[in-house]
Amino acid sequence: MISKRAPSLSGLSLRDLEYAAAVGDLRHFGKAAERCGVSQSALSEQVRKLEGLLGLALFERSHRGVVPTPRGATLLDHARRVLEEARGLLELASAIAAPLTGPLYVGAIATLGPYYMPHLLRPVRAEFTGLALRVSEGQTADLIESLRLGSLDAVLLALPPPGDGLRAEALFFEPFRLVCPAEHRLARLNHPCVSDLAGDELILLEEGHCLREQALSLCEGAETAMRQATSVEMLWHMIAAGEGYSLLPLLAVQDRAPMGGIIAMSDLAEPNAGRTIGLVWRATDPREPEFRELCGFLRAHLPPGLNGGPGQGTP
């Protein structure tokens, strides 16, 4: 006689359901035990414990064999569905756990994203077919905040990253190019030096863009124009209008036509006039080996004209 009591999940296991389902399928305790890889006595005992937990008999036992009871048949059908869902859970976990699969939310600084992403997306999608990139752009401070909050998994920006608790790996060094009106005095210089940029016509991006601070750190003797640009595109057109000159990263200008000859571009004499771009992620993210694998791939597939970074992370 099986006692009736309120069911409790604490005593229920998938192994018990697997044993019962095997008995229901094979109608034989010995064959079910062989399928499950346990002794017949151990399987029989677990099935009885399961029946006690459920408060009803799953099987009718006789010398002619084992037959599910009507109520038992209903529960065994449900048990099989539970086992199928559990197998699906394990398969899904295995797929998600595979390196560089599933969605990856990546942010990029606005002075990089529109010019680097076209080079990045095709090789990444071809190599990592299970990876679903979700890309966005913004200013450094906003991207770092989103990274810390978990709405971004990684960000592409100029190193070093601000703040603690982050990991980073360099991808490439991006040189700056001098961009000025074609009739400007600087356009007549072959490989101008940073010291040649002294003057009051330096046009910068508005505050918040890291490119602004990078240009200011290089052009210490220059005075900025009153007007500021909201984007690289607007900065380009302001230069074309003759308002002044600026330093722009290589990827943003290397494929541009000089606006019918009214814009001139020059490489700077200083080889270190530029920025190091890297991938940044949270130090606590367990996917660090995957991020470093991705960094290695990106360094091996750089856009034309760029040099690979040192490949060394920052703490």
Side-chain angles (χ1 to χ4, degrees), residues 61-81:
R61 299 162 174 85
S62 71
H63 65 277
R64 291 188 299 273
V66 181
V67 180
T69 64
R71 293 175 178 174
T74 299
L75 291 178
L76 288 172
D77 285 342
H78 194 76
R80 293 185 186 96
R81 291 196 295 271

Side-chain angles (χ1 to χ4, degrees), residues 134-300:
R134 302 291 183 263
V135 298
S136 60
E137 70 172 19
Q139 296 183 4
T140 299
D142 296 331
L143 293 175
I144 292 296
E145 180 67 14
S146 296
L147 179 64
R148 293 188 187 280
L149 293 175
S151 54
L152 288 177
D153 299 311
V155 294
L156 291 158
L157 47 74
L159 300 183
D164 301 324
L166 301 173
R167 292 284 187 270
E169 189 159 322
L171 299 178
F172 56 85
F173 177 78
E174 184 180 24
F176 292 153
R177 301 197 76 186
L178 170 66
V179 182
C180 64
E183 71 279 5
H184 197 277
R185 63 174 179 84
L186 294 174
R188 297 190 294 270
L189 301 178
N190 185 23
H191 294 292
C193 299
V194 169
S195 58
D196 295 324
L197 306 184
D200 60 358
E201 300 171 276
L202 178 63
I203 309 174
L204 300 172
L205 291 177
E206 63 185 3
E207 291 187 10
H209 289 278
C210 61
L211 181 59
R212 173 190 175 90
E213 305 307 319
Q214 293 155 6
L216 281 174
S217 67
L218 288 172
C219 306
E220 294 181 357
E223 297 181 17
T224 60
M226 294 297 294
R227 295 193 61 193
Q228 300 176 357
T230 57
S231 67
V232 169
E233 301 306 311
M234 191 62 204
L235 186 55
W236 174 263
H237 287 94
M238 290 171 68
I239 295 170
E243 297 189 37
Y245 62 86
S246 191
L247 296 179
L248 292 178
L250 176 65
L251 287 178
V253 299
Q254 65 177 357
D255 295 326
R256 292 180 186 265
M259 300 280 289
I262 62 175
I263 281 183
M265 291 183 285
S266 303
D267 294 326
L268 294 171
E270 290 83 357
N272 63 338
R275 61 185 183 178
T276 298
I277 298 296
L279 187 70
V280 181
W281 61 90
R282 294 181 299 278
T284 54
D285 197 317
R287 294 171 293 177
E288 179 165 331
E290 299 175 46
F291 292 139
R292 295 200 183 277
E293 178 184 350
L294 179 60
C295 288
F297 179 82
L298 295 179
R299 280 195 298 273

